[in-house]
């Protein structure tokens, strides 16, 4: 029998996060949900990552309601989310009670697969979320954040995969968030994992940023990868994933089994072309996000980070300093112990690189997140943090020992009591814990809107 290759469609999450900073509202893709459900995907990545934050901050949407509406319109395909381990969907570590309840509610509201990663590949930051996912009856996809550095080796990645399997992972994801994995690296790493954990399904996630992605996927499939992440063609390329239709065509031609419905994919592509063009017209989708940039092989900036970096510099009227910020990024990364550049470390390193460039002096100003990172609140770094930089940032403060989450008091019950009637459900409580200011503003606006509607209805009657 021909080897089967399955597809994860990313247009509802990572593709639009990478190209348009996650500004895709529900109403823009709602007409296509039934077609996406008919396309034959292994899963649809539709939640997690930056979607939760952006729904509340920019789109005026309840992220939980958004998920429920997607679930109702997509009854036949598994829904997938990206979870940042102990960070959940935020940018700092949360207490275990929050992690457990969030995972439970995500599954109750429609999620089938939770892809769980840690920005430092510290497995201690994955255990609680992995256990909660399994207890909730969902598929736990253990993830390695792929990067290259003097301290990242295939042997270390394989050891991490073995630990993830012991923790109960049903599938493994290799998350190449910067698109820096080449075809040989993909072939060798997938082969090594297949040898180490036979029978474990492997999903490869990469980006087209550097132009390597199509070659990388083909060699990964040759090595036995089971699932690949792709984006429908209008939202593919650049900092996004490679095109779904192109890879389906190529893999079939090479003799692999692909179950995608071509008619459904064409309908999706036709529709999302108009959506993409709207974002080009209003300036949300910038040409740099659509281009191939081989410099990423040096500075390793992932797609979502690059689009956010562009937005940040644009707001500061400093787009002309982009090259300087990109060159500073690997220097900051080395100082910080070679963390993989994925949320939240990508934002932390990127923001620090911009500050170093605009200040004209390295580490003159430091974010609270970088200080917390240097204290050890994000876990064990792949390599030691530059001791001189760490001392400068901490100014004599001693780093933490052990798992930071163990020092955090439970937060769910106190927050329930604090919010009272303002929170109508556990989902509201979770939204508030994750993003208190954004959630409170959303709750108040929701209440005001409902009161206005009620008043209007009385007047009309």
């Amino acid at each position: 029998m021909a080897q089967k290759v399955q597809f994860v469609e990313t247009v509802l999450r990572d593709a639009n996060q990478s190209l348009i900073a996650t500004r895709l509202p529900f109403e823009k893709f709602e007409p296509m949900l039934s077609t996406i459900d008919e396309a034959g995907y292994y899963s649809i990545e539709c939640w997690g990552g930056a979607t939760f934050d952006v729904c509340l901050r920019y789109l005026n949407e309840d992220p939980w309601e958004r998920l429920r509406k997607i679930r109702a319109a997509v009854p036949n395909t598994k829904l997938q989310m990206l979870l940042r381990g102990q960070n959940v969907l935020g940018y700092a570590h949360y207490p275990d009670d929050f992690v457990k309840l969030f995972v439970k509610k995500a599954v109750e509201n429609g999620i089938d697969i939770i892809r769980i990663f840690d920005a430092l590949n510290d497995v201690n930051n994955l255990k609680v979320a992995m256990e909660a996912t399994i207890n909730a009856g969902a598929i736990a996809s253990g993830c390695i954040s792929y990067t290259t550095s003097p301290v990242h080796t295939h042997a270390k990645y394989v050891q991490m995969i073995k630990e993830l399997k012991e923790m109960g992972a049903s599938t493994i994801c290799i998350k190449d968030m910067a698109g820096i994995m080449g075809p040989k690296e993909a072939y060798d790493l997938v082969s090594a994992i297949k040898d180490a954990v036979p029978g474990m399904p492997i999903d490869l996630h990469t980006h087209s940023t550097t132009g390597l992605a199509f070659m990388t996927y083909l060699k990964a499939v040759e090595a036995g990868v089971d699932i690949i992440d792709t984006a429908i063609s209008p939202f593919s390329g650049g900092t996004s994933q490679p095109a779904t239709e192109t890879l389906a065509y190529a893999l079939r031609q090479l003799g692999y089994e692909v179950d995608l419905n071509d008619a459904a994919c064409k309908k999706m592509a036709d529709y999302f072309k108009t959506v993409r063009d709207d974002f080009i017209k209003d300036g949300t989708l910038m040409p740099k996000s659509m281009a191939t940039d081989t410099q990423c092989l040096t500075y390793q900036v992932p797609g979502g980070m690059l689009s956010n970096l562009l937005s940040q510099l644009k707001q500061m009227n400093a787009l002309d300093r982009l090259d300087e910020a990109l060159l500073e990024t690997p220097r900051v990364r080395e100082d910080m112990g070679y963390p993989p550049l994925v949320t939240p470390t990508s934002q932390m390193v990127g923001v620090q690189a911009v500050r170093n460039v605009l200040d004209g002096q390295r580490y003159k100003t430091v974010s609270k997140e970088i200080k917390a990172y240097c204290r050890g609140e994000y876990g064990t770094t792949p390599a030691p943090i530059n001791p001189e930089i760490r001392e400068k940032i901490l100014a004599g403060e001693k780093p933490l020992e052990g798992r930071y989450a163990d020092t955090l008091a439970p937060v769910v019950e106190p927050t329930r009591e604090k919010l009272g009637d303002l929170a109508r459900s556990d989902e509201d409580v979770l939204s508030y814990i994750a993003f208190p200011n954004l959630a409170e503003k959303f709750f108040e606006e929701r209440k005001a809107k409902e009161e206005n509607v009620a008043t209007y209805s009385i007047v009309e009657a």
Side-chain angles (χ1 to χ4, degrees):
M1 292 180 64
Q3 178 186 333
K4 185 174 183 177
V5 182
Q6 300 190 81
F7 287 65
V8 174
E9 176 57 56
T10 66
V11 67
L12 301 188
R13 209 285 298 176
D14 198 25
N16 89 85
Q17 179 172 325
S18 297
L19 294 177
I20 57 172
T22 330
R23 300 299 198 272
L24 185 64
F26 178 80
E27 63 184 21
K28 282 277 191 180
F29 61 79
E30 181 182 15
M32 271 296 102
L33 286 174
S34 61
T35 302
I36 296 173
D37 193 30
E38 297 167 0
Y41 292 109
Y42 166 76
S43 67
I44 302 164
E45 191 193 44
C46 64
W47 214 57
T51 59
F52 204 94
D53 181 348
V54 172
C55 278
L56 292 170
R57 190 183 301 272
Y58 298 112
L59 302 182
N60 195 31
E61 293 184 27
D62 182 340
W64 298 99
E65 180 62 21
R66 178 184 176 112
L67 174 57
R68 288 190 290 270
K69 289 192 289 189
I70 295 172
R71 176 79 284 171
V74 182
N76 303 307
T77 309
K78 293 188 288 292
L79 299 185
Q80 179 174 308
M81 73 169 292
L82 183 67
L83 190 91
R84 301 167 187 161
Q86 205 68 32
N87 289 4
V88 188
L89 299 180
Y91 306 100
H93 281 204
Y94 293 98
D96 291 344
D97 66 329
F98 173 73
V99 177
K100 293 174 182 178
L101 183 60
F102 194 99
V103 168
K104 180 174 182 288
K105 288 298 177 180
V107 175
E108 287 180 5
N109 280 273
I111 290 296
D112 302 293
I113 303 170
I114 302 184
R115 180 179 290 175
I116 307 164
F117 77 96
D118 177 65
L120 298 178
N121 285 327
D122 185 345
V123 293
N124 289 321
N125 293 332
L126 301 175
K127 289 178 180 177
V128 173
M130 291 278 289
E131 184 179 285
T133 300
I134 295 164
N135 290 342
I139 295 171
S141 184
C143 188
I144 61 172
S145 298
Y146 180 82
T147 190
T148 59
S149 82
V151 298
H152 289 90
T153 64
H154 282 185
K156 284 192 175 181
Y157 285 136
V158 168
Q159 179 57 39
M160 184 179 176
I161 296 298
K162 291 178 179 178
E163 292 178 36
L164 291 172
K165 182 180 180 182
E166 290 177 5
M167 289 164 59
S170 296
T171 66
I172 293 298
C173 174
I174 305 168
K175 181 176 173 60
D176 174 26
M177 54 280 173
I180 59 172
M181 178 183 281
K184 185 179 189 306
E185 291 163 327
Y187 184 89
D188 291 347
L189 182 55
V190 170
S191 297
I193 295 171
K194 284 288 183 181
D195 288 342
V197 284
M200 174 72 78
I202 302 174
D203 183 330
L204 178 57
H205 171 98
T206 191
H207 290 251
S208 297
T209 316
T210 61
L212 289 170
F214 285 110
M215 296 179 284
T216 297
Y217 273 154
L218 290 179
K219 289 300 289 185
V221 168
E222 187 179 321
V225 87
D226 304 276
I227 308 160
I228 55 176
D229 289 13
T230 61
I232 200 69
S233 53
F235 272 77
S236 71
T239 53
S240 178
Q241 280 73 49
T244 302
E245 307 98 302
T246 306
L247 276 157
Y249 182 92
L251 289 171
R252 285 187 181 122
Q253 201 172 71
L254 289 168
Y256 295 99
E257 180 184 348
V258 174
D259 288 344
L260 291 180
N261 180 330
D262 292 339
C265 288
K266 183 181 185 305
K267 188 176 178 181
M268 287 171 59
D270 290 343
Y271 178 82
F272 279 106
K273 281 178 186 175
T274 62
V275 175
R276 176 199 61 195
D277 291 347
D278 288 342
F279 284 113
I280 292 174
K281 289 175 185 175
D282 69 15
T284 304
L285 178 52
M286 292 185 277
K288 279 183 179 290
S289 296
M290 296 297 294
T292 298
D293 190 347
T294 54
Q295 288 186 78
C296 291
L297 294 170
T298 300
Y299 53 71
Q300 298 196 6
V301 174
M305 178 182 176
L306 183 58
S307 61
N308 285 326
L309 193 63
L310 287 166
S311 296
Q312 183 186 355
L313 288 169
K314 186 178 181 182
Q315 289 170 5
M316 296 178 177
N317 295 317
L319 273 175
D320 60 318
R321 310 292 297 274
L322 176 63
D323 287 345
E324 293 176 73
L326 291 176
L327 288 171
E328 175 65 6
T329 298
R331 295 180 65 201
V332 174
R333 178 174 179 251
E334 181 178 356
D335 290 339
M336 294 296 115
Y338 294 107
L341 292 183
V342 63
T343 303
T345 54
S346 56
Q347 282 79 2
M348 290 157 56
V349 169
V351 167
Q352 190 60 51
V354 169
R355 287 189 179 190
N356 288 355
V357 167
L358 298 185
D359 286 345
Q361 181 180 333
R362 304 188 78 230
Y363 304 102
K364 178 182 179 181
T365 56
V366 178
S367 68
K368 63 180 182 180
E369 288 82 11
I370 285 287
K371 287 182 180 178
Y373 177 93
C374 289
R375 280 195 298 267
E377 292 184 14
Y378 287 86
T380 303
T381 56
I385 297 171
N386 182 314
E388 293 182 6
I389 299 297
R390 187 174 199 168
E391 176 58 31
K392 180 178 181 179
I393 290 171
L394 293 184
E397 184 180 350
K398 294 296 182 183
L400 295 165
E401 294 183 6
R403 179 175 173 267
Y404 176 60
D406 290 336
T407 71
L408 301 176
V411 70
V412 172
E413 195 54 44
T415 305
R416 278 199 191 105
E417 295 176 6
K418 175 183 176 180
L419 291 176
D421 293 340
L422 190 60
R424 301 174 181 178
S425 63
D426 278 347
E427 287 82 353
D428 279 356
V429 173
L430 293 167
S431 295
Y432 182 87
I433 294 170
F435 302 103
N437 295 333
L438 297 178
E440 187 169 14
K441 182 174 180 286
F442 179 83
F443 299 156
E444 290 170 350
E445 290 178 352
R446 177 179 65 185
K447 183 178 179 181
K449 184 178 179 180
E450 291 171 352
E451 288 174 351
N452 288 338
V453 170
T455 301
Y456 179 76
S457 299
I458 292 171
V459 172
E460 283 289 294

